[in-house]
Amino acid sequence: EDPEKLAAFQARIDAGEKIEPKDWMPAGYRKTLIRQMGQHAHSEIVGQLPEGNWITRAPTLERKAILLAKVQDEAGHGLYLYCGAETLGVTRDEMTEMLLDGRMKYSSIFNYPTLTWADMGAVGWLVDGAAIMNQVPLQRTSYGPYARAMVRICKEESFHQRQGYDIMMKMAKGTPAQKKMAQDALNRLWFPSLMMFGPSDAESTHSEQSMAWKIKMNTNDELRQKFVDQTVPQAEYLGLTVPDETLAWNEDKGGYDFAEPDWNEFFDVLRGNGPCNTERLAARNKAWDDGKWVRDGMLAHAEKRRIGKVA
Ligand code: FAQ
């Protein structure tokens, strides 16, 4: 690529300008954004599955209505992000096909099962909490359509996080059995939530270039630290124990010291060997196959209209 063009592009980024779809951009910038926005969109779509599992079993009509609204929001976020990624020259169908045949990823967290109602609390509190921690800075990301999509998405994620914490409050302040369920959900979802921020900075292949291009605004470890610092007092308020014996306040750094997740498990989940990888991809493949008649019908209708117009 022309070094002058590259330098001018970097100067725009450094000056805090937004890059728009029709602007010149390096091929690597485009490729990384398609990967990240596409993965992000897939995560929202696949992320509906663990919670969808509990819609029919929500304990009250009110909880059911709230959960239904939340899951519908995730679908909206997915569609928003697919549209954003399409401005980079890839189609939603192409991204979907890459998800379905394993060429594209979605967040590791959605390969873990949601075993009890308390998991709906823990997912909202921890998973949406981690998502917001990562996405608030992305409102300032250099690619205009991505940054703008993040504004609304973050507002909705905040509601999601609060509804999750509200469930946790009810459970943690409820009967001993309910509190036990809440603790169990925290025990199972704590480390997978820490994995959402990606591998340690030393292992992160994309961070350096993505930060230079302001596709990412913080490193994986920075955001993980912020998440732990924010979440530990929330667990204390609930009267629950974070499942990490090494957790300790570090006065010098003004943050908690905490145990790293099991990175072997993380990479194994990425390779497709998590508890629910097969089930999640099977569900998405089934949805795609079951929707074929709708796509075919719409194409046939469009074709008829086209012929009608010509005639
Ligand atoms: N899972 O070099 P890095 C939500 C991969 S929020 C799977 O550090 P990068 C809301 C990475 O792709 C969740 N793969 O990568 C919701 C790369 O592999 P590749 C989604 C992961 O991109 C809540 C390799 O590891 N949020 O869904 C993960 O610079 C509740 C090396 O890693 C976003 O996507 C992982 N956790 O940083 C919905 C936010 N971490 O592609 C329903 C936007 C890393 O070269 C219910 N994305 N990998 O084959 C990002 O900010 C970044 O992409 C990171 C990863 C921070 C996730």
Side-chain angles (χ1 to χ4, degrees), residues 35-37 39-41 43-48 51 70 74 77 105-110 123 127-128 130-131 134-135 138 146 157 160 195-200 203-207 210 216 220 223 266-267 270:
R35 179 185 61 82
Q36 182 169 319
M37 292 176 75
Q39 263 179 224
H40 193 164
S43 303
E44 301 280 358
I45 297 299
V46 178
Q48 295 178 96
E51 290 177 307
K70 178 189 192 292
E74 317 294 4
H77 299 173
K105 295 188 167 77
Y106 56 90
S107 181
S108 51
I109 186 72
F110 303 118
V123 166
V127 176
D128 286 275
N134 163 280
Q135 289 171 26
L138 290 179
Y146 196 21
E157 298 287 22
H160 297 171
M195 293 175 191
M196 286 177 70
F197 297 95
S200 73
E203 299 271 331
S204 166
T205 43
H206 302 291
S207 279
S210 288
K216 272 169 96 160
N220 301 354
L223 291 176
F266 171 77
F267 287 114
L270 260 54

Side-chain angles (χ1 to χ4, degrees), residues 222-252:
E222 277 168 17
L223 291 176
R224 193 168 10 252
Q225 179 73 53
K226 277 182 83 169
F227 174 75
V228 171
D229 293 345
Q230 174 185 286
T231 310
V232 170
Q234 294 172 348
E236 282 168 0
Y237 188 74
L238 292 170
L240 300 179
T241 310
V242 172
D244 175 0
E245 285 173 5
T246 69
L247 191 74
W249 179 255
N250 180 330
E251 195 63 51
D252 292 341

Side-chain angles (χ1 to χ4, degrees), residues 285-300:
N285 269 292
K286 182 174 184 308
W288 182 248
D289 295 344
D290 288 352
K292 186 174 184 307
W293 69 273
V294 180
R295 295 191 299 276
D296 288 349
M298 292 184 80
L299 283 174

Side-chain angles (χ1 to χ4, degrees), residues 7-144:
F9 180 80
Q10 190 62 49
R12 290 190 64 195
I13 301 270
D14 295 343
E17 279 181 41
K18 292 276 176 260
I19 307 302
E20 297 298 338
K22 290 189 175 150
D23 295 350
W24 184 85
M25 62 186 84
Y29 179 87
R30 188 184 299 278
K31 189 171 162 220
T32 286
L33 266 174
I34 291 175
R35 179 185 61 82
Q36 182 169 319
M37 292 176 75
Q39 263 179 224
H40 193 164
H42 296 326
S43 303
E44 301 280 358
I45 297 299
V46 178
Q48 295 178 96
L49 296 170
E51 290 177 307
N53 185 30
W54 282 93
I55 290 173
T56 53
R57 290 177 285 170
T60 66
L61 182 60
E62 193 190 9
R63 289 290 182 201
K64 181 172 174 143
I66 295 170
L67 186 60
L68 202 54
K70 178 189 192 292
V71 173
Q72 283 175 347
D73 283 352
E74 317 294 4
H77 299 173
L79 299 188
Y80 239 56
L81 286 161
Y82 284 131
C83 288
E86 282 191 318
T87 65
L88 292 156
V90 62
T91 67
R92 183 172 151 196
D93 282 3
E94 283 165 346
M95 287 183 278
T96 301
E97 277 161 22
M98 286 194 272
L99 168 71
L100 297 182
D101 68 18
R103 276 176 292 156
M104 279 182 93
K105 295 188 167 77
Y106 56 90
S107 181
S108 51
I109 186 72
F110 303 118
N111 292 307
Y112 291 84
T114 45
L115 302 178
T116 72
W117 174 252
D119 288 13
M120 294 304 94
V123 166
W125 172 36
L126 301 172
V127 176
D128 286 275
I132 300 170
M133 194 55 85
N134 163 280
Q135 289 171 26
V136 164
L138 290 179
Q139 293 178 102
R140 291 178 288 115
T141 191
S142 60
Y143 190 55

